[in-house]
Amino acid sequence: MKKIISFDLDGTLVHGKYGDIVWNRGIPEEYASKYGLTFDVAVSRVRERYEAVGDTRMEWYNIDYWLRRFDLSVTAAELLNRYESRIEPLPNTAEVLQALKGKYTLIIASNAARIFVEKELSHTGLGRYFDHVISATTDYGMVKKEEHFYRRLCRSLDVSPHEIVHVGDHRIFDFEAPLRLGIEAYHLAQDGETGPGVIHNLRELLRKL
């Protein structure tokens, strides 16, 4: 019997454009202003630094790390507030969460830093649906990329893997990793991908459950 449904956040419940504009517009604009560069040159340099770190390392998700590394005076809160109007739930998100609320314990399990997670849940009003909100990088000090994250998640919730369903848009972090631990997982794919465990919108999740 499934007790818990765990959701990734960005690209799963909330449109990824908010994080994208903070990282790939907000920070480069500040970088360009600081060092007297054009925006295009700043974007190239900033992205080069991002890619040198990569999304399997903790630093990738830590906005304060990047603000220090680039020696920028803007705060993380200022950047997140600047673009909060871009936060947008994906289609059917509230409808599906409302249908699941009460039948299951709903949780967020995201790689995004807690400052992003809380901003997005607050702005969209989606926070009311969730019993637990977990930022892998902030709360656990790890990246949600392998089964050891999901093992720790199970311990913290005092459940076994077969009692959890996880849903997310990253094939490795949200699908392959939890599957290896025995968690029922669904990959929310936007590009026409097909195959076992693939869904293309959240309404399909209701039918799977």
Side-chain angles (χ1 to χ4, degrees):
M1 178 67 180
K2 305 300 181 185
K3 294 182 178 179
I4 293 170
I5 303 181
S6 165
F7 291 93
D8 177 49
L9 183 60
D10 293 310
T12 301
L13 303 179
V14 176
H15 201 294
K17 65 184 177 183
Y18 173 63
D20 183 66
I21 200 169
V22 171
W23 291 106
N24 295 311
R25 177 171 152 187
I27 289 179
E29 282 182 346
E30 295 289 332
Y31 189 93
S33 177
K34 168 84 175 181
Y35 297 106
L37 304 171
T38 66
F39 177 71
D40 288 344
V41 170
V43 167
S44 178
R45 292 189 183 180
V46 166
R47 286 182 176 170
E48 184 179 0
R49 303 285 180 83
Y50 290 162
E51 295 303 324
V53 169
D55 66 358
T56 62
R57 287 174 52 187
M58 288 278 294
E59 294 92 334
W60 172 276
Y61 304 91
N62 186 341
I63 191 168
D64 287 322
Y65 165 82
W66 292 105
L67 297 180
R68 290 192 303 269
R69 179 166 178 179
F70 297 141
D71 194 25
L72 303 178
S73 58
V74 68
T75 68
E78 286 170 338
L79 276 179
L80 268 62
N81 289 339
R82 183 181 302 171
Y83 300 108
E84 68 179 358
S85 65
R86 302 299 186 98
I87 301 172
E88 178 186 343
L90 286 169
N92 314 125
T93 294
E95 169 195 339
V96 169
L97 295 177
Q98 183 64 45
L100 297 173
K101 183 71 174 173
K103 298 178 182 177
Y104 303 91
T105 296
L106 303 184
I107 71 170
I108 292 289
S110 173
N111 268 329
R114 180 163 284 275
I115 188 174
F116 278 91
V117 173
E118 291 181 348
K119 170 65 76 173
E120 292 175 69
L121 292 179
S122 173
H123 188 81
T124 58
L126 296 177
R128 68 184 183 274
Y129 294 109
F130 295 98
D131 300 281
H132 303 281
V133 175
I134 297 160
S135 160
T137 51
T138 301
D139 300 329
Y140 288 1
M142 64 174 69
V143 177
K144 182 186 66 175
K145 62 177 179 176
E146 295 174 352
E147 59 264 37
H148 67 268
F149 165 80
Y150 293 95
R151 189 175 293 111
R152 180 165 176 180
L153 180 66
C154 289
R155 287 201 307 269
S156 68
L157 297 171
D158 194 26
V159 295
S160 61
H162 73 268
E163 294 177 289
I164 299 182
V165 174
H166 181 74
V167 184
D169 69 314
H170 194 294
R171 181 163 187 89
I172 296 173
F173 296 173
D174 293 308
F175 183 62
E176 295 178 5
L179 277 179
R180 286 196 294 268
L181 192 63
I183 290 173
E184 182 178 343
Y186 294 98
H187 178 213
L188 181 62
Q190 307 291 336
D191 57 2
E193 179 184 345
T194 60
V198 173
I199 60 176
H200 299 98
N201 60 70
L202 291 175
R203 282 181 172 170
E204 287 186 41
L205 176 65
L206 296 179
R207 295 196 291 272
K208 296 287 187 181
L209 295 172

